[in-house]
Amino acid sequence: MEQTTYLVRRDDMENRIAELRKARRISQAELAEAVAVTRQTIISLESGRYNASLLLAHKIAKYFETTIEDIFLFEEESP
Amino acid sequence: MSSFKQKPAKWMWALAAGVIAAGLLLALPFAPALLRERLSGGLVGGGIFVLALLFFQRERYQELPPEERRELDAEDGDERVQMIRRRAAWRCSQAEDVALLAAALLYAVFYDPVLAHNIPFWLYMARRLAAEALCWYFQRKY
């Protein structure tokens, strides 16, 4: 089965939030509640319209039990 | 506009109650007659109006589904919402600067050319000084 990737880019930053969230079958509302932001912020992050602060990036990484670098990728690091 | 659906903060209730209390205090015989006549009624009326709005706002909030309520509760602590508010405030501040300078120009051309009498100009200067003072304070703080 072909694996879908959900890399979202904004300027020189990409993120894998949607990919990780969907892999864990978590809704946007659940993720928003877990990291104490609105669902609209999760939507904006996933669509690449907004870049998370370091604090929010840390919370998201902690929620997915991974590192910030694994979720938020600079252009030169992205595959 | 989501802000009118939000649960009213405690300070808003306190402010409305404080305005009503101030109006009632000014209505007492020991208050200066000028304040009693000119302020008392307005403060009590205004406070009651704000209180009624707050009750209406609270009712609207309580009628919302739980998910929407959670979303509204999260708005104040949400960094994206705060960023949007900061940007909006900055744009408004810039627009106010332009409006004040335009008003100062019109005042000087059509009303009184003496700079010392130009109220919009001095309002603009006061705003700029306040902004510079706050920048200085925040640069020291952060």
Side-chain angles (χ1 to χ4, degrees), chain A residues 32-33 37-41 44 50 52-53 56, chain B residues 70-72 74-75 77-81 83 87:
Chain A
E33 191 163 5
V37 295
T38 60
R39 196 172 71 89
Q40 190 56 50
T41 295
S44 294
Y50 176 66
S53 69
L56 181 56
Chain B
R70 196 209 69 79
E71 192 79 351
L72 284 170
E75 266 190 11
D78 185 299
E79 62 175 44
R80 184 182 134 274
V81 173
M83 180 271 290
R87 282 193 183 183

Side-chain angles (χ1 to χ4, degrees), chain B residues 62-79:
Chain B
Q62 282 171 348
E63 284 166 10
L64 292 172
E67 319 81 71
E68 206 171 330
R69 253 191 270 175
R70 196 209 69 79
E71 192 79 351
L72 284 170
D73 290 343
E75 266 190 11
D76 278 337
D78 185 299
E79 62 175 44

